[in-house]
Amino acid sequence: MIRFHHRAVPIALAAVLIDTIGFGIVTPVLPTLIVELAHVGLPEATRIGGYMLIAFAVAQFFAGPVLGNLGDRFGRRPVLLAAMTAFSADYALMALAPTIGWLFLGRVIAGITGATYGPVNAVLADVTPPEKRGATFGLVGAAFGAGFIIGPAIGGLLSTLGPRAPFVAAACLALANAATIALIMPETLSRERRRPFEWKRANVFGAFAPLLHAGGAAPLLLAALMWQIAHMVYPATWSFYAEIALGWDARAIGWSLAAVGATMMLVQIFLTGRAIERFGEERTVLIGLAIGVIEFFLFVFVTKGWQAYTLILGGALTGLIFPSINAILSNRVDAGHQGALQGGMASLASISSIVGPLAMTQALAFGADHGEPGSAFLLAAILAGLSLVTIWLGVVRRQGALA
């Protein structure tokens, strides 16, 4: 049983859970809905799906630092409440979308309101001592994993009611989470630790400015960016890849994504904290990246469902990567700038969500046209390898972190 060290922690994690359920619940039906609204075939729907993820990410890129800095000024609770309320309204909008343009608008609004990972991570940093932050940030990954168990499984089941039903369910879940935040979530940032809101800090460059003056931060940020781009191969292409390469329907895709979430959740709950305690953040990052390179490369050769599930099981250990990087960076920032940092990290993720879907969906579409649907995973393996080399040369060897 998980024991939370502060009563704000489970409520903040619930925001991540609902956010992820909302994303995962619509993933199995998104190809069908795009085909229906855009009147195109599946290969072209793959490209459109990538463009939608880019629209989502561009909005999140600008919104992440703003939400993070608003959290440093007004506290975490009002920011999370406003974002989750708007998130509910947005999914209701997408459930009613009459054209592909309305669906794009919904993804833009979702990008703005879905930039909740920064405020959530700031909540965790507020209430967690530095030496415990790696394990606590791992709980965010566990919530994300749980969302990908629940969301795609429900989405696959609700797909029998039509491609719009999962959007209605996502709207209801987000509204319930907003009510929970409003009624029982405590504020974690005391008034004396707050600072004025400054627009010059409310962007990705301003958020990272203090870190870039600290030794070893730039390679960490670059490695995190490359890994996140590589990992976008799943949200950007999985629904399309599974249908093209394995012939799976929406229900099978939903169950496979649930398996991804289940293994990820187990790693984050039971292994992340222990791995960081045993090996340290730097070694843990290297272990996770090495596993990621192997997993992505082997996906190039997958032709059977059982092979995919085997790689999903082993690849769950890549969940060690981001909590470790985030803990290293968080420990270099004071309490009054945790929101800015986490907002910056959200924008870093948004950059990967702009570049990643474009690169991965185009790689998949190109490969599918030439009988090689695993081409997107080959690109992901290359990027994960570059991230591993960057951490090794730019952080480990330079700082003697493994000594």
Side-chain angles (χ1 to χ4, degrees), residues 84-300:
M84 198 56 60
T85 302
F87 204 51
S88 175
D90 175 59
Y91 271 110
L93 168 68
M94 287 191 285
L96 301 172
T99 66
I100 196 70
W102 280 97
L103 201 60
F104 264 100
L105 175 63
R107 297 315 295 162
V108 170
I109 297 173
I112 295 171
T113 59
T116 54
Y117 288 86
V120 166
N121 279 324
V123 168
L124 302 186
D126 287 341
V127 300
T128 308
E131 68 275 10
K132 298 292 185 181
R133 285 179 185 164
T136 303
F137 288 142
L139 294 177
V140 176
F144 184 90
F148 255 86
I149 298 171
I150 301 168
I154 295 176
L157 294 173
L158 289 177
S159 67
T160 59
L161 302 177
R164 297 176 186 270
F167 290 90
V168 176
C172 294
L173 288 171
L175 185 61
N177 187 240
T180 302
I181 293 170
L183 294 174
I184 63 175
M185 181 177 176
E187 179 56 62
T188 61
L189 185 66
S190 61
R191 292 189 177 276
E192 58 269 19
R193 293 166 63 191
R194 299 180 190 182
R195 61 178 179 81
F197 178 86
E198 299 176 83
W199 280 108
K200 67 180 181 180
R201 296 180 183 270
N203 61 78
V204 66
F205 305 106
F208 285 128
L211 275 177
L212 292 176
H213 295 293
L220 277 167
L221 297 174
L222 177 61
L225 176 61
M226 288 190 291
W227 166 250
Q228 288 173 326
I229 293 174
H231 203 254
M232 283 303 299
V233 71
Y234 280 116
T237 71
W238 184 257
S239 294
F240 303 97
Y241 165 82
E243 186 168 342
I244 294 170
L246 301 172
W248 288 354
D249 60 13
R251 182 173 296 186
I253 292 169
W255 286 118
S256 68
L257 289 173
V260 171
T263 54
M264 181 186 301
M265 182 182 67
L266 291 173
V267 167
Q268 300 288 9
I269 292 174
F270 297 109
L271 293 183
T272 299
R274 290 178 172 87
I276 291 175
E277 184 178 352
R278 172 68 177 83
F279 302 112
E281 286 94 348
E282 291 82 5
R283 285 189 180 93
T284 303
V285 171
L286 292 177
I287 292 169
L289 286 171
I291 292 170
V293 173
I294 296 170
E295 177 202 6
F296 291 148
F297 181 72
L298 291 179
F299 254 116
V300 176

Side-chain angles (χ1 to χ4, degrees), residues 66-68 70-72 74-84 115-116 119:
V66 174
L67 292 185
L70 286 173
D72 285 340
F74 298 105
R76 320 302 186 196
R77 180 177 173 275
V79 172
L80 285 173
L81 176 59
M84 198 56 60
T116 54

